[in-house]
Amino acid sequence: MHDDHEIFLPFRPRRNRSTDAVRRLVRETVLTPSDLILPLFVCEGKNRKVAIKSMPGCFRLSRDLIVKEARAARRLGIPAVALFPALPDAKKDRRAGESVNPDGLLQQTVRALKDKVPELAVITDVAMDPYSSDGHDGYVENGRIDNDKTLPILAAMAVSQAEAGADIVAPSDMMDGRVSYIREALDTHGYTGTGILAYSAKYCSAFYGPFREALDSAPRGGDKKTYQMDPANAVEALREIRLDVEEGADMVMVKPGMPYLDIVAAAKEAVDVPVAVYQVSGEYAMIKAADKLGWLSGADAMMESLVAFKRAGADMILTYYAAEAASALS
Ligand code: PBG
């Protein structure tokens, strides 16, 4: 046995990990509340707060409570919220008609937020599923998703959201050509300042399960495999991302998050627009569930996952943990 003094090591990386002070000095990635976007589920009514079983700590909130939540987020230093409306079935139809109602649930909520918390950026989702009786992101005809018939519906939805005051519209539908189609519609209507955050590499993922419970928006028939990406593909993701940038996306997104960090890193290399990542409902649910069972520390797993997104190259992170993480950071 050698004693310490007899071993000569030219490199001792542990020296840079020896104390908290040193670790702070050499830390490469720093997470701040400015990196976070808080997704919120909006429902009809007043003073209404409905728990989402598979997403502990998340709720469907009526507009008045959304404003409260948004104010709290803003106070925590979170720069943006992403809104998702939960509509009763009676308001859903094949063409997502309710999505362009100027007094619709989403539009009214956007207006309230821009009125009451104007500093907060409002991001709205562009896809048919919350409004569609078929539960698909695109228009269904004879059991198939018709790409080109979907585009005008998405464009009208985006214009309606911009008119309500959305700062950024975020097409999550994965139809071909929708970014340029939406950009043109926005510009034509005078919304040249409204940004587009494209869900560019959105995979067909089991991790969206809890979200579909939250919105009651699961497809009524079939699956989303003809538009959302095959989890096995990476080259194709970069093609989708480049196409969206060429079509005018101001920011691109990779979704889900943790199982797709390789795509986040590659996206950051490939394009010169900001890259967002979405830590989706199932990722959140997994950490919450394991924490509840006492199998890991949810608070630590939350922070580790969020730092990992940034380390991989994400410029912003959509996460149901946004408020919890921002308060832990402050
Ligand atoms: C639908 C949409 C989904 C999510 C965001 N927008 C679900 C889906 O594509 O089925 C998922 C978000 C999450 O799981 O947290 N356009």
Side-chain angles (χ1 to χ4, degrees), residues 181-247:
Y181 203 93
I182 289 170
R183 183 70 270 161
E184 198 183 324
L186 288 171
D187 290 354
T188 305
H189 286 83
Y191 299 110
T192 52
T194 307
I196 298 180
L197 164 59
Y199 286 69
S200 301
K202 177 171 177 182
Y203 287 89
C204 191
S205 174
F207 294 104
Y208 305 151
F211 176 95
R212 292 178 189 169
E213 183 212 317
L215 291 193
D216 188 22
S217 65
R220 306 295 193 252
D223 53 44
K224 298 191 174 186
K225 287 183 183 165
T226 69
Y227 46 106
Q228 298 181 347
M229 282 187 53
D230 183 339
N233 296 353
V235 174
E236 187 187 346
L238 292 183
R239 176 162 168 70
E240 283 283 10
I241 288 164
R242 285 200 197 93
L243 275 173
D244 282 355
V245 173
E246 280 167 30
E247 287 182 33

Side-chain angles (χ1 to χ4, degrees), residues 39 41 55 84 125-130 135-137 170-174 199 202-212 215 217-219 224 227-228 253 255-256 278-284 318 320:
F41 300 112
M55 300 176 72
F84 297 95
D125 205 66
V126 180
M128 290 178 67
D129 55 326
H136 275 287
D137 296 21
S172 69
D173 55 284
M174 288 298 280
Y199 286 69
K202 177 171 177 182
Y203 287 89
C204 191
S205 174
F207 294 104
Y208 305 151
F211 176 95
R212 292 178 189 169
L215 291 193
S217 65
K224 298 191 174 186
Y227 46 106
Q228 298 181 347
M253 192 198 298
K255 177 185 176 190
Y278 201 143
Q279 181 176 49
V280 301
S281 56
E283 299 176 65
Y284 174 85
L318 290 97
Y320 302 97

